[in-house]
Amino acid sequence: MGGLLITIDGPAGSGKSSVARAVAERLGVVNLNTGAAYRAVALLALRDGVSFDDATRLARLARTVDLDPEGVKIDGRPVPDPELRTPEVSAAASKISAHPELREVLLTVQRRAAEIARGRGGAVVEGRDIGTVVLPDADLKIFLSAAPEERARRRAVQSGREGELDRIRRAIETRDRQDSEREVSPLRPASDAVVLDTTGLTLDGAISKVLELAHETRSRA
Ligand code: DC
């Protein structure tokens, strides 16, 4: 018997990462950020000058990436978070994530990480297609959304780039389009997901709501 698996999917700036981190901490389970694996491949592609259209080489790069409860690794070495969070890496991660060949490699990586975490008591796994594709049998699926202007505002405040609100909003809209319109594993709520619009919610409000759902799920299990 393993622990509870909770998936949190949603677009950039919906509050996914902050909510997933806090909920995992409060429940005493692992937090897996699957976007970090896509970002690690993007970082490698930028570093090695690999074209974002070259699915075969991108899939090969993905084979050097691993995800575990401690974070993402390239060739067994941890990747510092700031390197994964630049605007260039964000844009590249969204572009390359359209390739099925690359997604297939990372699917195995993500499932293995979730299995390890489940064995350690459970996990909150966040991404875009966790409830629909990666862990369709998860115990609780959450889909967080928020209006694009609000998501851009949060990103600008988070990164101390309030003066660049317009640029950030455009980048978010481009990523939304790419993530939702790709043919393989597009961003969309699973049919059995709880959809939570966080536009008018504080971070604490969103965390409480998800914790409430998690406790309900646990008491039913
Ligand atoms: O969650 P994030 O913003 O760090 O993710 C970066 C990109 O990776 C995102 O634009 C799309 C891709 N991604 C994905 O396709 N599937 C996932 N499960 C997680 C991320």
Side-chain angles (χ1 to χ4, degrees):
M1 254 294 276
L4 207 63
L5 280 185
I6 299 174
T7 64
I8 302 190
D9 291 300
S14 57
K16 256 181 317 145
S17 299
S18 311
V19 172
R21 204 180 307 121
V23 168
E25 205 175 293
R26 290 282 293 276
L27 297 176
V29 300
V30 167
N31 173 208
L32 289 176
N33 177 332
T34 64
Y38 286 88
R39 287 171 181 271
V41 181
L43 182 68
L44 285 171
L46 287 166
R47 223 183 245 173
D48 299 355
V50 172
S51 159
F52 299 159
D53 296 325
D54 192 339
T56 307
R57 284 189 71 194
L58 291 169
R60 206 177 300 145
L61 290 179
R63 287 194 195 95
T64 67
V65 169
D66 199 10
L67 191 66
D68 68 22
E70 280 71 51
V72 69
K73 292 180 176 141
I74 296 176
D75 282 327
R77 277 188 294 275
V79 190
D81 212 50
E83 286 186 31
L84 298 174
R85 304 272 147 211
T86 65
E88 292 73 26
V89 169
S90 301
S94 178
K95 281 203 187 104
I96 62 167
S97 65
H99 294 295
E101 296 87 340
L102 165 77
R103 301 197 70 85
E104 208 174 299
V105 176
L106 292 186
L107 182 63
T108 309
V109 167
Q110 294 167 92
R111 283 187 178 153
R112 196 171 44 219
E115 212 33 61
I116 294 171
R118 193 201 264 280
R120 290 195 194 174
V124 179
V125 188
E126 62 143 306
R128 298 289 189 290
D129 61 339
I130 311 303
T132 50
V133 175
V134 181
L135 301 171
D137 296 328
D139 304 288
L140 171 63
K141 300 178 185 177
I142 310 281
F143 189 91
L144 291 186
S145 67
E149 307 76 46
E150 171 61 12
R151 293 190 279 118
R153 193 194 61 78
R154 290 177 189 169
R155 274 290 144 98
V157 172
Q158 241 171 29
S159 55
R161 296 194 181 112
E162 283 94 333
E164 297 174 45
L165 192 59
D166 267 358
R167 186 194 61 72
I168 293 174
R169 187 179 40 77
R170 279 197 303 275
I172 278 190
E173 282 169 358
T174 305
R175 278 221 279 156
D176 280 358
R177 215 168 25 250
Q178 281 169 181
D179 294 350
S180 324
E181 290 176 4
R182 67 175 175 235
E183 278 178 30
V184 184
S185 304
L187 171 68
R188 60 171 176 77
S191 57
D192 53 350
V194 178
V195 179
L196 189 61
D197 186 335
T198 67
T199 309
L201 279 182
T202 60
L203 179 57
D204 281 346
I207 294 167
S208 303
K209 183 71 202 154
V210 176
L211 277 172
E212 205 178 288
L213 292 165
H215 290 309
E216 273 172 34
T217 308
R218 213 175 229 175
S219 60
R220 263 189 277 116

